[in-house]
Amino acid sequence: MTCTDEFSAPSTRHCTPYILLNTRKTGERGRFDAAHELGHLVLHSGYQSPRGPEAEAAADAFASAFLMPRAGILAQQVNNASVERILSAKGRWGVSAMAFSYRLRTMKLLSEWRFQQTAKQLAQLGYRKGEPGSSMVRESSKLISKVFEALRAEGTSVNDLAKSVHIFPEELNHYVFGLVPIGYKGGEQRTAPIRPALSIVK
Ligand SMILES: [Zn+2]
């Protein structure tokens, strides 16, 4: 993954860092992208920021270890796991089947040959760019929902906000992960109840 092409999560180190996620990706990939950008902020926040393939690989390695802790993976006993086992085990971590397979290879739980075979099978099953059958809820922003709550308390409507940036309310809602009120019923605003499926990893 790189920060320059199909990926759209550039982070900035000026003042408060922001991470922008591509809403067209699956929840699993959005989660990895967020962790990847966190890796850049943690690893590359010095005066001279490293760029290029090495920095990208380091951010990917950070995201992989951050989302799939070594002890937790070892406890799953996924040594030489079959594709079926990988698909059932990856759900615990909220990652894509491909990311899970990479992690197993990095931890030497999959040989290079076995990894290549696994990647080929996963691609044939549609896991190269998607997560067939996944119902994972996309990660979202707590801050944005607080901002919209504050604006609502001030009497600023979603329509006002959308109009100020020249887009439809539905489009605004799409960009902010469905966190804004999207409709009105009996004079009351209705908020889309989307909550991230987060859990504590021991
Ligand atoms: Zn990057």
Side-chain angles (χ1 to χ4, degrees), residues 38-51:
L38 178 62
H40 279 309
L41 290 169
V42 170
L43 301 169
H44 310 136
S45 57
Y47 176 69
Q48 285 188 314
S49 305
R51 293 174 186 273

Side-chain angles (χ1 to χ4, degrees), residues 2-3 7 36-37 40 56 59:
T2 72
C3 290
F7 182 48
H36 171 101
E37 288 305 307
H40 279 309
E56 295 309 312

Side-chain angles (χ1 to χ4, degrees), residues 59-81:
D60 274 345
F62 175 94
S64 186
F66 181 71
L67 295 176
M68 296 167 274
R70 171 175 289 273
I73 296 289
L74 290 174
Q76 280 190 306
Q77 300 186 336
V78 282
N79 197 7
N80 281 320

